[in-house]
Amino acid sequence: MPKIDLHTHSDFSDGTCSPEEVVHAALKSGVGLFALTDHDTTDGVRRAEAVCKEYRILFTAGVEISTREHDHLHFTGYNLNLDNPQFQAFLAQNRENRRNRIRQIIRQLISAGVNITEEDVFKRAPNTVSRAHVADALKANGVVPTRQEGFRRYLVKGQVGYVPSAGVTAVEAIRHIKRAGGVAVIAHPGIVAEHWNFPAWTEAGLDGIEVFYPAHTFTMKQDLLALARKYGLLATAGSDYHGLHGGRITSAGMQIPQSHYNKLLHKLFNQ
């Protein structure tokens, strides 16, 4: 089966390596279709595109947008017009909302006696800041041993540093992607199954479902494929690669059945 990766992150958001290094990891894994989908920014996309062109990997301009409906209810967009001023203004506002959220998280941690400062966090995030940067700062300050432990002990719901996401709604995320000429896909839907609303999302313009994802079980993939058939949606694949030190899957690329790959090529490249 073809191997693709339409869900990856660089150090322009919460990944741990450069856009070029992310593409090289995908290339090493045999990926033939690639997208860099950093959170709420497209600033690393052209750098990734240049490497893809050099190695003749099919490329589509991507992004991942968070929503306020759940910490993990996200939508990826592809084939974006990167020069769309309204879309870039929307992403800039999302990044500012993120900064405000992180400042509140830091204030709550400091009030709880945790060793952390704003400088500890923001120096790690020249573009899009996230809770991952807070967790990395906690690790660097010796508060926790790993990024994952930082989340578990301080940053998830119910913990002292938790602040709800300040993103847009799911429907708004989809519509912003569509207004930028993009293809809208729900990311890692298996981990937010209790928040599914495919009737509303498809009405807003949803194009696809990330079916092939590392955390999805066989049963979940079958359920998602059934939904794709029901609503006439594409099936996509992505690893959610964050780099070797991101604490997640350590290799880029996911296999996808040829029939779904062919539909993606037709949608993205008119092939």
Side-chain angles (χ1 to χ4, degrees), residues 143-196:
V143 179
V144 294
T146 65
R147 174 186 279 191
Q148 292 68 40
E149 187 67 4
F151 271 91
R152 189 186 70 80
R153 287 177 55 186
Y154 293 103
L155 302 175
V156 296
K157 193 171 184 178
Q159 299 303 322
V160 66
Y162 180 74
V163 174
S165 172
V168 295
T169 67
V171 165
E172 288 170 334
I174 294 165
R175 287 176 175 167
H176 277 289
I177 291 168
K178 301 300 288 185
R179 290 178 191 135
V183 174
V185 173
I186 178 172
H188 41 60
I191 63 176
V192 288
E194 68 275 18
H195 296 276
W196 287 354

Side-chain angles (χ1 to χ4, degrees), residues 82-126:
L82 300 180
D83 298 318
N84 183 297
Q86 291 78 24
F87 188 65
Q88 291 300 334
F90 162 67
L91 295 181
Q93 183 59 59
N94 284 359
R95 293 194 296 273
E96 181 59 29
N97 292 343
R98 281 175 168 273
R99 284 190 285 271
N100 290 334
R101 181 193 189 193
I102 296 303
R103 291 186 182 103
Q104 180 60 37
I105 288 172
I106 294 167
R107 285 195 291 269
Q108 290 178 195
L109 291 173
I110 292 172
S111 295
V114 178
N115 176 25
I116 194 169
T117 67
E118 283 197 10
E119 182 183 2
D120 293 336
V121 176
F122 284 98
K123 69 182 181 182
R124 301 173 182 279

Side-chain angles (χ1 to χ4, degrees), residues 61-81:
V63 74
E64 184 172 5
I65 297 172
S66 302
T67 77
R68 64 169 175 260
E69 295 174 24
H70 188 276
D71 284 331
H72 299 293
L73 182 55
H74 302 166
F75 292 83
T76 48
Y78 309 105
N79 274 18
L80 298 163
N81 175 5

